Each structure stands twice: as C-alpha cells, then as structure tokens.
Coordinates of all heavy atoms in Angstrom, one line a residue:
A264 N -33.6 -11.8 22.3 CA -32.9 -12.4 21.2 C -31.7 -11.4 21.0 O -30.9 -11.6 20.0 CB -33.7 -12.6 20.0
G265 N -31.5 -10.4 21.8 CA -30.3 -9.6 21.6 C -30.5 -8.4 20.5 O -29.6 -7.9 20.1
L266 N -31.8 -8.2 20.1 CA -32.0 -7.3 19.0 C -32.5 -6.0 19.6 O -33.0 -5.9 20.7 CB -33.0 -7.9 18.0 CG -32.6 -9.3 17.4 CD1 -33.9 -9.9 16.7 CD2 -31.5 -9.1 16.6
G267 N -32.2 -4.9 18.7 CA -32.7 -3.6 19.2 C -31.6 -2.8 19.7 O -30.4 -2.9 19.2
V268 N -31.8 -1.9 20.7 CA -30.8 -1.0 21.2 C -30.7 -1.1 22.7 O -31.8 -1.2 23.4 CB -31.1 0.5 20.9 CG1 -30.2 1.5 21.5 CG2 -31.2 0.6 19.4
S269 N -29.6 -1.2 23.4 CA -29.4 -1.1 24.7 C -28.3 -0.1 25.0 O -27.2 -0.1 24.3 CB -28.9 -2.5 25.3 OG -29.9 -3.5 25.1
M270 N -28.5 0.8 25.8 CA -27.7 1.9 26.1 C -27.7 2.3 27.6 O -28.7 2.1 28.3 CB -27.8 3.1 25.2 CG -29.1 3.8 25.4 SD -29.3 5.2 24.2 CE -29.7 4.4 22.7
L271 N -26.7 2.9 28.0 CA -26.6 3.5 29.4 C -26.8 5.1 29.3 O -26.1 5.7 28.5 CB -25.2 3.2 30.0 CG -25.0 3.5 31.5 CD1 -26.0 2.6 32.3 CD2 -23.6 3.2 31.8
M272 N -27.8 5.6 29.9 CA -28.0 7.0 29.9 C -26.9 7.8 30.6 O -26.4 7.4 31.6 CB -29.4 7.4 30.5 CG -30.6 6.5 30.0 SD -30.6 6.8 28.1 CE -31.1 8.4 27.9
A273 N -26.5 8.9 29.9 CA -25.2 9.6 30.4 C -25.5 10.3 31.8 O -24.6 10.2 32.7 CB -24.9 10.7 29.4
I274 N -26.7 10.9 32.0 CA -26.9 11.6 33.2 C -27.4 10.7 34.4 O -26.8 10.8 35.5 CB -27.9 12.8 33.0 CG1 -27.3 13.8 32.1 CG2 -28.4 13.4 34.3 CD1 -28.2 14.8 31.7
S275 N -28.4 9.8 34.2 CA -28.9 9.0 35.2 C -28.3 7.7 35.4 O -28.5 7.0 36.4 CB -30.4 8.7 34.9 OG -30.5 7.9 33.8
A276 N -27.4 7.3 34.4 CA -26.7 6.0 34.5 C -27.7 4.9 34.4 O -27.4 3.7 34.8 CB -25.7 5.8 35.7
S277 N -28.9 5.1 34.0 CA -29.9 4.1 33.8 C -29.7 3.3 32.5 O -29.4 3.9 31.5 CB -31.3 4.7 33.9 OG -31.6 5.4 35.0
A278 N -30.0 2.0 32.6 CA -29.8 1.3 31.3 C -31.3 1.2 30.8 O -32.2 1.0 31.4 CB -29.3 -0.3 31.7
I279 N -31.2 1.4 29.4 CA -32.5 1.3 28.7 C -32.4 0.4 27.5 O -31.3 0.2 26.9 CB -33.1 2.6 28.3 CG1 -32.2 3.3 27.3 CG2 -33.4 3.6 29.5 CD1 -32.8 4.6 26.6
S280 N -33.4 -0.2 27.1 CA -33.5 -1.1 25.8 C -34.8 -0.9 25.2 O -35.8 -0.8 25.8 CB -33.3 -2.6 26.3 OG -32.1 -2.9 26.9
F281 N -34.6 -1.0 23.9 CA -36.0 -0.8 23.0 C -35.6 -1.3 21.7 O -34.4 -1.5 21.2 CB -36.5 0.6 23.1 CG -35.6 1.7 22.6 CD1 -35.6 2.1 21.3 CD2 -34.6 2.3 23.6 CE1 -34.6 3.2 21.0 CE2 -33.8 3.3 23.2 CZ -33.7 3.8 21.9
V282 N -36.7 -1.6 21.0 CA -36.4 -2.2 19.6 C -37.1 -1.4 18.5 O -36.9 -1.6 17.4 CB -37.1 -3.6 19.4 CG1 -36.2 -4.6 20.2 CG2 -38.5 -3.7 19.8
C283 N -38.1 -0.4 18.8 CA -38.8 0.3 17.8 C -39.4 1.5 18.3 O -39.6 1.7 19.6 CB -39.7 -0.5 17.0 SG -41.2 -1.0 17.9
F284 N -39.8 2.4 17.5 CA -40.6 3.6 17.8 C -41.9 3.4 16.9 O -41.7 3.0 15.7 CB -40.0 5.0 17.3 CG -38.8 5.2 17.8 CD1 -37.5 4.9 17.2 CD2 -38.6 5.7 19.2 CE1 -36.2 5.2 17.8 CE2 -37.4 6.0 19.7 CZ -36.3 5.8 19.0
A285 N -43.1 3.4 17.4 CA -44.2 3.1 16.7 C -45.3 4.2 17.0 O -45.5 4.5 18.1 CB -44.8 1.7 16.9
F286 N -46.0 4.6 15.8 CA -47.3 5.3 16.0 C -48.2 4.9 14.9 O -48.0 5.0 13.8 CB -46.9 6.9 15.8 CG -48.1 7.8 15.9 CD1 -48.7 8.1 17.2 CD2 -48.7 8.3 14.9 CE1 -49.7 8.8 17.3 CE2 -49.8 9.1 15.0 CZ -50.3 9.4 16.2
V287 N -49.4 4.3 15.4 CA -50.5 3.8 14.5 C -49.8 2.8 13.5 O -49.4 1.8 13.9 CB -51.3 4.9 13.9 CG1 -52.4 4.4 13.1 CG2 -51.6 6.0 14.8
D288 N -49.7 3.2 12.2 CA -49.2 2.4 11.2 C -47.8 2.6 10.8 O -47.3 2.3 9.7 CB -50.1 2.2 10.0 CG -50.3 3.5 9.3 OD1 -49.8 4.5 9.8 OD2 -50.8 3.4 8.1
D289 N -47.1 3.5 11.5 CA -45.8 3.9 11.2 C -44.8 3.3 12.2 O -44.9 3.8 13.4 CB -45.7 5.3 11.0 CG -44.3 5.8 10.5 OD1 -43.5 5.0 10.0 OD2 -44.0 7.1 10.7
T290 N -43.9 2.5 11.8 CA -42.9 1.9 12.9 C -41.5 2.0 12.3 O -41.2 1.8 11.2 CB -43.2 0.4 13.1 OG1 -44.5 0.3 13.5 CG2 -42.3 -0.2 14.1
D291 N -40.7 2.4 13.2 CA -39.2 2.5 12.9 C -38.5 1.5 13.7 O -38.6 1.7 15.0 CB -38.5 4.0 13.2 CG -39.2 4.9 12.3 OD1 -39.4 4.8 11.2 OD2 -39.3 6.2 12.8
I292 N -37.9 0.5 13.2 CA -37.2 -0.5 13.9 C -35.7 -0.1 13.9 O -35.2 0.1 12.9 CB -37.4 -1.9 13.2 CG1 -39.0 -2.3 13.2 CG2 -36.6 -3.0 14.0 CD1 -39.2 -3.5 12.4
I293 N -35.1 -0.2 15.1 CA -33.8 0.2 15.1 C -32.9 -1.0 15.8 O -33.4 -1.8 16.4 CB -33.5 1.4 16.0 CG1 -34.1 1.2 17.4 CG2 -34.2 2.6 15.3 CD1 -33.9 2.4 18.3
H294 N -31.6 -1.0 15.4 CA -30.7 -2.1 16.0 C -29.3 -1.6 16.0 O -28.9 -0.8 15.1 CB -30.8 -3.4 15.1 CG -29.8 -4.4 15.5 ND1 -30.0 -5.0 16.8 CD2 -28.7 -4.9 15.1 CE1 -29.1 -5.9 17.0 NE2 -28.2 -5.8 15.9
T295 N -28.6 -1.7 17.1 CA -27.2 -1.4 17.3 C -26.4 -2.7 17.7 O -26.9 -3.7 18.2 CB -26.9 -0.4 18.2 OG1 -27.3 -0.8 19.5 CG2 -27.7 0.9 18.0
G296 N -25.2 -2.6 17.5 CA -24.2 -3.7 17.9 C -24.0 -3.5 19.4 O -24.2 -2.5 20.0
P297 N -23.5 -4.6 20.0 CA -23.2 -4.7 21.4 C -22.0 -3.8 21.7 O -21.8 -3.4 22.9 CB -22.9 -6.1 21.7 CG -22.5 -6.7 20.5 CD -23.2 -5.9 19.4
A298 N -21.1 -3.4 20.8 CA -19.9 -2.7 21.1 C -19.6 -1.7 19.9 O -20.1 -1.9 18.8 CB -18.7 -3.6 21.2
V299 N -18.7 -0.8 20.2 CA -18.5 0.3 19.1 C -17.7 -0.3 17.9 O -17.8 0.2 16.9 CB -17.7 1.5 19.7 CG1 -18.5 2.3 20.7 CG2 -16.3 1.0 20.3
D300 N -17.1 -1.4 18.1 CA -16.4 -2.0 17.0 C -17.1 -3.1 16.3 O -16.5 -3.9 15.6 CB -14.9 -2.6 17.5 CG -15.1 -3.6 18.6 OD1 -16.1 -3.8 19.1 OD2 -14.0 -4.2 18.9
T301 N -18.4 -3.3 16.5 CA -19.2 -4.3 15.9 C -19.2 -3.9 14.3 O -19.6 -2.8 14.0 CB -20.6 -4.3 16.4 OG1 -20.6 -4.5 17.8 CG2 -21.5 -5.4 15.8
P302 N -18.9 -4.9 13.5 CA -18.8 -4.7 12.0 C -20.2 -4.4 11.5 O -21.1 -5.0 11.9 CB -18.2 -5.9 11.5 CG -17.8 -6.7 12.6 CD -18.4 -6.2 13.9
G303 N -20.3 -3.5 10.5 CA -21.6 -3.2 9.8 C -22.2 -4.5 9.2 O -23.4 -4.6 9.3
S304 N -21.4 -5.4 8.7 CA -21.9 -6.6 8.1 C -22.6 -7.4 9.1 O -23.7 -8.1 8.9 CB -20.8 -7.4 7.5 OG -19.8 -7.8 8.5
Q305 N -22.2 -7.4 10.3 CA -22.9 -8.2 11.5 C -24.3 -7.4 11.8 O -25.2 -8.0 12.0 CB -22.0 -8.3 12.7 CG -22.8 -8.9 13.9 CD -21.9 -9.0 15.1 OE1 -20.6 -9.0 15.1 NE2 -22.4 -9.0 16.3
I306 N -24.2 -6.0 11.8 CA -25.4 -5.3 12.1 C -26.5 -5.6 11.1 O -27.6 -5.8 11.4 CB -25.1 -3.8 12.1 CG1 -24.0 -3.5 13.2 CG2 -26.4 -3.0 12.3 CD1 -24.6 -3.7 14.6
I307 N -26.1 -5.7 9.8 CA -27.0 -5.9 8.7 C -27.7 -7.3 8.9 O -28.8 -7.5 8.7 CB -26.3 -5.9 7.3 CG1 -25.9 -4.4 7.1 CG2 -27.3 -6.4 6.3 CD1 -25.1 -4.3 5.8
R308 N -26.8 -8.4 9.2 CA -27.4 -9.8 9.4 C -28.4 -9.7 10.6 O -29.5 -10.3 10.5 CB -26.3 -10.7 9.7 CG -25.5 -11.2 8.6 CD -24.5 -12.4 8.9 NE -23.7 -12.2 9.9 CZ -22.5 -11.5 10.0 NH1 -22.0 -11.0 8.8 NH2 -21.8 -11.4 11.0
E309 N -28.0 -9.0 11.7 CA -28.9 -9.0 12.8 C -30.1 -8.2 12.6 O -31.2 -8.6 13.1 CB -28.1 -8.5 14.1 CG -27.0 -9.4 14.6 CD -26.0 -8.7 15.7 OE1 -26.3 -7.6 16.0 OE2 -25.3 -9.5 16.1
F310 N -30.0 -7.1 11.9 CA -31.1 -6.3 11.6 C -32.2 -7.1 10.7 O -33.4 -7.0 10.9 CB -30.8 -5.0 10.8 CG -31.9 -4.1 10.6 CD1 -32.6 -3.5 11.8 CD2 -32.5 -3.9 9.5 CE1 -33.6 -2.6 11.6 CE2 -33.5 -3.0 9.3 CZ -34.1 -2.4 10.3
Q311 N -31.6 -8.0 9.8 CA -32.5 -8.9 9.0 C -33.3 -9.8 9.9 O -34.5 -10.0 9.7 CB -31.7 -9.6 8.0 CG -32.7 -10.6 7.1 CD -33.5 -9.8 6.2 OE1 -33.1 -9.0 5.4 NE2 -34.9 -9.9 6.5
Q312 N -32.7 -10.3 11.0 CA -33.4 -11.1 12.0 C -34.5 -10.2 12.7 O -35.5 -10.8 12.9 CB -32.4 -11.6 13.0 CG -31.4 -12.7 12.6 CD -30.4 -13.0 13.6 OE1 -30.0 -12.2 14.4 NE2 -30.0 -14.3 13.7
A313 N -34.2 -9.1 13.1 CA -35.1 -8.2 13.7 C -36.3 -7.9 12.7 O -37.5 -8.0 13.2 CB -34.5 -6.9 14.1
M314 N -36.1 -7.7 11.5 CA -37.1 -7.5 10.6 C -38.0 -8.7 10.4 O -39.2 -8.7 10.4 CB -36.6 -7.1 9.2 CG -36.0 -5.7 9.1 SD -37.3 -4.4 9.3 CE -38.2 -4.7 7.8
D315 N -37.3 -9.9 10.3 CA -38.2 -11.1 10.2 C -38.9 -11.4 11.4 O -40.1 -11.7 11.2 CB -37.2 -12.3 9.9 CG -36.5 -12.2 8.5 OD1 -36.8 -11.5 7.7 OD2 -35.4 -12.9 8.5
C316 N -38.4 -11.1 12.6 CA -39.1 -11.3 13.9 C -40.3 -10.4 13.9 O -41.5 -10.8 14.2 CB -38.2 -11.1 15.0 SG -38.9 -11.3 16.6
W317 N -40.2 -9.1 13.6 CA -41.2 -8.1 13.5 C -42.3 -8.5 12.5 O -43.5 -8.5 12.8 CB -40.6 -6.7 13.2 CG -41.8 -5.7 13.1 CD1 -42.1 -5.0 11.9 CD2 -42.5 -5.1 14.1 NE1 -43.0 -4.2 12.2 CE2 -43.4 -4.2 13.5 CE3 -42.6 -5.4 15.5 CZ2 -44.3 -3.5 14.3 CZ3 -43.5 -4.6 16.3 CH2 -44.4 -3.7 15.6
E318 N -41.9 -8.8 11.3 CA -42.8 -9.1 10.2 C -43.5 -10.4 10.5 O -44.8 -10.4 10.4 CB -42.0 -9.3 9.0 CG -42.9 -9.5 7.7 CD -42.1 -9.7 6.5 OE1 -40.9 -10.0 6.5 OE2 -42.6 -9.3 5.4
E319 N -42.9 -11.4 10.8 CA -43.6 -12.8 11.1 C -44.3 -12.8 12.5 O -45.5 -13.3 12.6 CB -42.6 -13.9 10.9 CG -42.1 -14.0 9.6 CD -43.0 -14.1 8.4 OE1 -44.1 -14.8 8.7 OE2 -42.8 -13.6 7.3
G320 N -43.7 -12.3 13.5 CA -44.1 -12.5 14.9 C -45.1 -11.5 15.2 O -46.1 -11.6 16.0
G321 N -45.0 -10.2 14.7 CA -45.9 -9.1 15.1 C -46.9 -8.7 14.1 O -48.1 -8.5 14.5
L322 N -46.6 -8.6 12.9 CA -47.5 -8.2 11.8 C -48.3 -9.3 11.2 O -49.6 -9.2 11.2 CB -46.7 -7.4 10.8 CG -46.1 -6.1 11.2 CD1 -45.4 -5.4 10.0 CD2 -47.1 -5.2 11.7
R323 N -47.7 -10.3 10.7 CA -48.5 -11.3 9.9 C -49.4 -12.1 10.8 O -50.5 -12.5 10.3 CB -47.6 -12.2 9.1 CG -47.0 -11.5 8.0 CD -46.5 -12.4 7.0 NE -45.8 -11.6 5.8 CZ -46.3 -11.0 4.8 NH1 -47.6 -11.3 4.6 NH2 -45.6 -10.4 3.9
T324 N -49.0 -12.3 12.1 CA -49.9 -13.1 13.0 C -51.1 -12.2 13.3 O -52.2 -12.8 13.6 CB -49.2 -13.4 14.3 OG1 -48.7 -12.2 14.8 CG2 -48.1 -14.4 14.0
S325 N -51.0 -10.9 13.2 CA -52.3 -10.1 13.5 C -52.9 -9.7 12.2 O -53.8 -8.8 12.2 CB -51.8 -8.9 14.3 OG -51.0 -8.0 13.5
G326 N -52.5 -10.2 11.0 CA -53.2 -9.8 9.8 C -52.6 -8.8 9.0 O -53.0 -8.3 8.0
G327 N -51.5 -8.1 9.5 CA -50.8 -6.9 8.8 C -49.7 -7.5 8.0 O -49.3 -8.7 7.9
A328 N -49.2 -6.6 7.3 CA -48.0 -6.8 6.3 C -47.2 -5.5 6.2 O -47.7 -4.4 6.1 CB -48.5 -7.4 5.0
L329 N -45.9 -5.7 5.9 CA -45.0 -4.7 5.5 C -45.2 -4.4 4.0 O -45.4 -5.4 3.3 CB -43.6 -4.9 5.8 CG -43.1 -5.0 7.3 CD1 -41.7 -5.5 7.5 CD2 -43.4 -3.6 8.0
V330 N -45.2 -3.2 3.6 CA -45.3 -2.9 2.2 C -43.9 -2.5 1.7 O -43.3 -1.5 2.0 CB -46.3 -1.7 1.9 CG1 -46.4 -1.4 0.4 CG2 -47.6 -2.0 2.5
P331 N -43.3 -3.5 0.8 CA -41.9 -3.2 0.4 C -41.6 -1.9 -0.2 O -40.7 -1.2 0.0 CB -41.6 -4.4 -0.5 CG -42.6 -5.5 -0.2 CD -43.8 -4.7 0.4
E332 N -42.6 -1.3 -1.0 CA -42.5 0.0 -1.7 C -42.4 1.1 -0.6 O -42.0 2.2 -1.0 CB -43.6 0.2 -2.7 CG -43.6 -0.9 -3.8 CD -44.2 -2.3 -3.4 OE1 -45.0 -2.3 -2.4 OE2 -43.9 -3.2 -4.1
K333 N -43.0 0.8 0.6 CA -43.0 1.9 1.6 C -41.9 1.7 2.7 O -41.8 2.4 3.7 CB -44.3 2.1 2.3 CG -45.5 2.5 1.3 CD -46.8 2.5 2.2 CE -47.8 3.0 1.3 NZ -49.1 3.2 2.2
S334 N -41.0 0.7 2.6 CA -40.1 0.3 3.6 C -38.6 0.7 3.1 O -38.2 0.5 1.9 CB -40.1 -1.2 3.8 OG -41.4 -1.6 4.1
F335 N -38.0 1.4 4.0 CA -36.6 1.8 3.7 C -35.7 1.4 4.9 O -36.1 1.3 6.0 CB -36.6 3.3 3.5 CG -37.5 3.7 2.5 CD1 -38.7 4.1 2.8 CD2 -37.1 3.8 1.2 CE1 -39.6 4.6 1.8 CE2 -37.9 4.3 0.3 CZ -39.3 4.6 0.5
W336 N -34.4 1.3 4.6 CA -33.5 1.1 5.7 C -32.1 1.8 5.4 O -31.9 2.0 4.3 CB -33.2 -0.4 6.0 CG -32.4 -1.1 4.9 CD1 -32.8 -1.4 3.7 CD2 -31.1 -1.4 5.0 NE1 -31.8 -2.0 3.0 CE2 -30.6 -2.0 3.8 CE3 -30.0 -1.2 5.9 CZ2 -29.3 -2.4 3.5 CZ3 -28.7 -1.6 5.6 CH2 -28.4 -2.2 4.4
Y337 N -31.5 2.1 6.5 CA -30.2 2.9 6.4 C -29.2 2.3 7.5 O -29.6 2.0 8.5 CB -30.4 4.4 6.7 CG -31.4 5.0 5.9 CD1 -32.8 5.1 6.3 CD2 -31.1 5.5 4.6 CE1 -33.7 5.7 5.6 CE2 -32.0 6.2 3.8 CZ -33.3 6.2 4.3 OH -34.3 6.8 3.5
L338 N -27.9 2.0 6.9 CA -26.9 1.5 7.9 C -26.1 2.8 8.2 O -25.6 3.4 7.2 CB -26.1 0.5 7.2 CG -24.9 0.0 8.1 CD1 -25.3 -0.7 9.2 CD2 -23.9 -0.8 7.2
I339 N -25.9 3.0 9.4 CA -25.0 4.1 9.9 C -23.8 3.4 10.4 O -23.9 2.8 11.5 CB -25.6 5.1 10.7 CG1 -26.9 5.7 10.1 CG2 -24.7 6.2 11.2 CD1 -27.8 6.6 11.1
D340 N -22.6 3.4 9.7 CA -21.4 2.8 10.3 C -20.2 3.8 10.3 O -20.2 4.6 9.3 CB -21.1 1.6 9.5 CG -20.1 0.6 10.2 OD1 -19.7 0.8 11.4 OD2 -19.9 -0.4 9.5
W341 N -19.4 3.8 11.3 CA -18.4 4.8 11.4 C -17.0 4.2 11.4 O -16.9 3.0 11.8 CB -18.5 5.6 12.6 CG -19.8 6.3 12.8 CD1 -21.0 5.8 13.3 CD2 -20.1 7.7 12.4 NE1 -22.0 6.8 13.2 CE2 -21.4 7.9 12.7 CE3 -19.3 8.7 12.0 CZ2 -22.0 9.2 12.5 CZ3 -19.8 10.0 11.9 CH2 -21.2 10.2 12.1
Y342 N -16.0 4.8 11.0 CA -14.7 4.4 11.2 C -13.8 5.6 11.7 O -14.1 6.7 11.4 CB -14.1 3.8 9.9 CG -13.9 4.7 8.8 CD1 -12.6 5.3 8.6 CD2 -14.9 5.2 7.9 CE1 -12.3 6.2 7.6 CE2 -14.6 6.0 6.9 CZ -13.3 6.5 6.8 OH -13.1 7.4 5.7
W343 N -12.6 5.2 12.3 CA -11.7 6.2 12.8 C -10.7 6.3 11.9 O -10.0 5.4 11.5 CB -11.2 5.8 14.2 CG -10.2 6.8 14.7 CD1 -8.9 6.6 14.9 CD2 -10.5 8.0 15.4 NE1 -8.3 7.7 15.5 CE2 -9.4 8.6 15.8 CE3 -11.7 8.8 15.5 CZ2 -9.2 9.9 16.4 CZ3 -11.6 10.0 16.1 CH2 -10.4 10.6 16.6
D344 N -10.4 7.6 11.3 CA -9.3 7.7 10.2 C -8.0 8.2 10.9 O -7.2 8.6 10.2 CB -9.8 8.7 9.1 CG -9.8 10.1 9.6 OD1 -9.6 10.5 10.8 OD2 -10.3 11.0 8.7
G345 N -7.9 8.2 12.2 CA -6.7 8.6 12.9 C -6.8 10.1 13.4 O -6.1 10.4 14.3
K346 N -7.9 10.8 12.9 CA -8.0 12.2 13.4 C -9.5 12.4 13.8 O -9.7 13.1 14.8 CB -7.6 13.1 12.3 CG -6.2 13.2 12.0 CD -5.9 14.1 10.9 CE -4.4 14.1 10.5 NZ -4.2 15.2 9.5
Q347 N -10.4 11.7 13.1 CA -11.9 11.9 13.5 C -12.7 10.8 12.9 O -12.2 10.0 12.1 CB -12.3 13.2 12.8 CG -12.3 13.3 11.3 CD -12.8 14.6 10.7 OE1 -13.4 15.5 11.4 NE2 -12.5 14.8 9.5
W348 N -13.8 10.7 13.5 CA -14.8 9.6 13.0 C -15.4 10.0 11.7 O -15.8 11.2 11.5 CB -16.0 9.4 14.1 CG -15.4 8.7 15.3 CD1 -15.0 9.3 16.5 CD2 -15.2 7.3 15.5 NE1 -14.7 8.3 17.3 CE2 -14.6 7.1 16.8 CE3 -15.2 6.2 14.6 CZ2 -14.4 5.9 17.2 CZ3 -14.9 5.0 15.1 CH2 -14.5 4.8 16.3
R349 N -15.6 9.1 10.8 CA -16.1 9.4 9.5 C -17.2 8.3 9.2 O -17.1 7.1 9.6 CB -15.0 9.3 8.4 CG -14.0 10.4 8.6 CD -13.3 10.5 7.3 NE -12.3 11.7 7.4 CZ -12.6 13.0 7.1 NH1 -13.8 13.3 6.5 NH2 -11.7 13.9 7.1
N350 N -18.2 8.6 8.3 CA -19.2 7.6 7.9 C -18.6 6.8 6.8 O -17.8 7.2 6.0 CB -20.3 8.4 7.2 CG -21.2 9.1 8.2 OD1 -21.5 8.6 9.2 ND2 -21.6 10.3 7.8
K351 N -18.8 5.5 7.0 CA -18.5 4.5 5.9 C -19.4 4.7 4.6 O -20.5 5.0 4.8 CB -18.6 3.1 6.4 CG -17.4 2.7 7.4 CD -17.5 1.2 7.7 CE -16.4 0.9 8.7 NZ -16.3 -0.6 9.0
E352 N -19.0 4.4 3.6 CA -19.7 4.5 2.3 C -20.4 3.2 2.1 O -20.0 2.0 2.6 CB -18.8 4.8 1.1 CG -18.2 6.2 1.3 CD -19.0 7.3 1.2 OE1 -20.0 7.2 0.4 OE2 -18.6 8.3 1.8
I353 N -21.5 3.1 1.2 CA -22.2 1.9 1.0 C -21.2 0.8 0.4 O -21.4 -0.3 0.7 CB -23.3 2.2 0.0 CG1 -24.4 3.0 0.7 CG2 -23.9 0.9 -0.6 CD1 -25.5 3.5 -0.2
V354 N -20.2 1.3 -0.4 CA -19.3 0.3 -1.0 C -18.5 -0.4 0.0 O -18.0 -1.5 -0.2 CB -18.4 0.8 -2.2 CG1 -19.2 1.5 -3.3 CG2 -17.5 2.0 -1.6
D355 N -18.3 0.2 1.2 CA -17.5 -0.3 2.3 C -18.2 -1.3 3.1 O -17.6 -2.3 3.7 CB -17.0 0.8 3.2 CG -16.1 1.9 2.6 OD1 -15.4 1.5 1.6 OD2 -16.3 3.0 2.9
V356 N -19.6 -1.2 3.1 CA -20.4 -2.2 3.8 C -21.6 -2.6 3.0 O -22.7 -2.1 3.3 CB -20.8 -1.6 5.2 CG1 -21.4 -2.7 6.1 CG2 -19.6 -1.0 6.0
P357 N -21.4 -3.3 1.9 CA -22.6 -3.6 1.1 C -23.5 -4.6 1.8 O -23.0 -5.4 2.7 CB -22.0 -4.3 -0.1 CG -20.8 -4.8 0.4 CD -20.3 -3.9 1.5
G358 N -24.8 -4.6 1.6 CA -25.7 -5.5 2.1 C -27.2 -5.2 1.7 O -27.5 -4.0 1.2
T359 N -28.0 -6.0 1.9 CA -29.5 -5.8 1.7 C -30.3 -6.3 2.8 O -30.0 -7.1 3.6 CB -30.0 -6.5 0.3 OG1 -29.8 -7.8 0.5 CG2 -29.2 -6.0 -0.9
I360 N -31.5 -5.8 3.0 CA -32.5 -6.1 3.9 C -33.8 -6.4 3.1 O -34.2 -5.6 2.3 CB -32.8 -5.1 5.0 CG1 -31.6 -4.7 5.8 CG2 -33.9 -5.5 5.8 CD1 -31.1 -5.8 6.7
S361 N -34.4 -7.6 3.3 CA -35.5 -8.0 2.6 C -36.9 -8.1 3.4 O -36.7 -8.5 4.6 CB -35.3 -9.2 1.7 OG -35.1 -10.3 2.6
V362 N -37.9 -7.9 2.8 CA -39.2 -8.1 3.5 C -40.1 -8.9 2.5 O -39.9 -8.8 1.3 CB -40.0 -6.9 3.9 CG1 -39.1 -6.1 4.9 CG2 -40.2 -6.0 2.7
R363 N -41.1 -9.6 3.1 CA -42.0 -10.4 2.2 C -43.0 -9.4 1.5 O -43.3 -8.3 2.0 CB -42.8 -11.3 3.0 CG -41.9 -12.5 3.5 CD -43.0 -13.6 4.1 NE -42.2 -14.6 4.7 CZ -41.6 -15.6 4.0 NH1 -41.8 -15.7 2.7 NH2 -40.9 -16.6 4.6
S364 N -43.4 -9.7 0.3 CA -44.4 -9.0 -0.4 C -45.7 -9.1 0.4 O -45.8 -10.0 1.2 CB -44.6 -9.6 -1.9 OG -45.0 -10.9 -1.7
T365 N -46.6 -8.3 0.1 CA -47.8 -8.1 0.8 C -48.7 -9.4 0.7 O -49.4 -9.8 1.7 CB -48.6 -7.0 0.4 OG1 -48.9 -6.9 -1.0 CG2 -48.0 -5.7 0.9
D366 N -48.5 -10.2 -0.4 CA -49.1 -11.5 -0.5 C -48.3 -12.7 0.1 O -48.8 -13.8 0.1 CB -49.4 -11.8 -2.0 CG -48.2 -12.0 -2.9 OD1 -47.0 -11.9 -2.3 OD2 -48.3 -12.0 -4.1
G367 N -47.2 -12.4 0.6 CA -46.3 -13.3 1.3 C -45.6 -14.2 0.5 O -45.0 -15.3 0.9
Q368 N -45.7 -14.1 -0.9 CA -45.1 -15.2 -1.8 C -43.7 -14.9 -2.2 O -43.0 -15.8 -2.6 CB -45.9 -15.1 -3.1 CG -47.4 -15.5 -2.9 CD -47.6 -16.9 -2.1 OE1 -47.0 -17.8 -2.7 NE2 -48.3 -17.0 -1.1
S369 N -43.1 -13.6 -2.1 CA -41.8 -13.3 -2.4 C -41.1 -12.3 -1.5 O -41.9 -11.8 -0.6 CB -41.7 -12.8 -3.9 OG -42.5 -11.6 -3.9
R370 N -39.9 -12.3 -1.6 CA -39.1 -11.2 -0.8 C -38.5 -10.1 -1.7 O -38.2 -10.4 -2.7 CB -37.9 -11.9 -0.1 CG -38.5 -13.0 0.9 CD -37.4 -13.4 1.9 NE -37.0 -12.4 2.8 CZ -37.6 -12.3 4.1 NH1 -38.7 -13.0 4.3 NH2 -37.2 -11.5 4.9
H371 N -38.6 -9.0 -1.1 CA -38.1 -7.7 -1.8 C -37.1 -7.0 -1.0 O -37.2 -7.0 0.2 CB -39.3 -6.7 -2.1 CG -40.3 -7.3 -2.9 ND1 -40.3 -7.2 -4.3 CD2 -41.5 -7.9 -2.7 CE1 -41.3 -7.8 -4.9 NE2 -42.1 -8.2 -3.9

C-alpha cells in the first residue's frame, strides 16, 4: 500500500523496505514520504493509514489493541532555509494521529 520506509543503502546500493520495529509487545511504526519534498501534511495522512492498517489488520484481528495512553507519535519534517536544513515546528505542520480506545468504541 506504499506505507513504511523504502531506501537505498549507501554502501551496498541494496534497496530495503520495512514498516516497523517490534519486540514482544513494543512496536515502533515508521513512515516516510517517497521524496525529500513530500509535505509533512501528506506524511501525517499516510501515517494515519498505516496506524489504521496495523491496528485493524494486525492487532484487533488477533485479539490485541493499542493503548492510547501508551501511544505516541512524532513528525520529523525539515526545510531548507537557504543555508542549512532546519526542523519544522509543530505550528508549521499541525496534525493528529488517532487510535481506537481499547474497547473499540472511540478514537483518541
């Protein structure tokens, strides 16, 4: 579905793709844009799709659930100021990511 990370390794020139890092009950889901100029707002929309896919397709079907109080996300977005790359501030790229409550009745 085009979600996750795809990159070309610098030394081997091998292409790799992955969507998360997981260990037991701790999972980090990651997503990048297809190009360096992909807007942060697009990344947020696509990351919400990745979260929904992981939550509904992977966790709930097996009886698991994300716990909103234990879930965090961070957008890392850069801009070129003419001299160097700088981090964008939250006010520059506002957005939210939501997950279903453990009872599945509401979104947080």
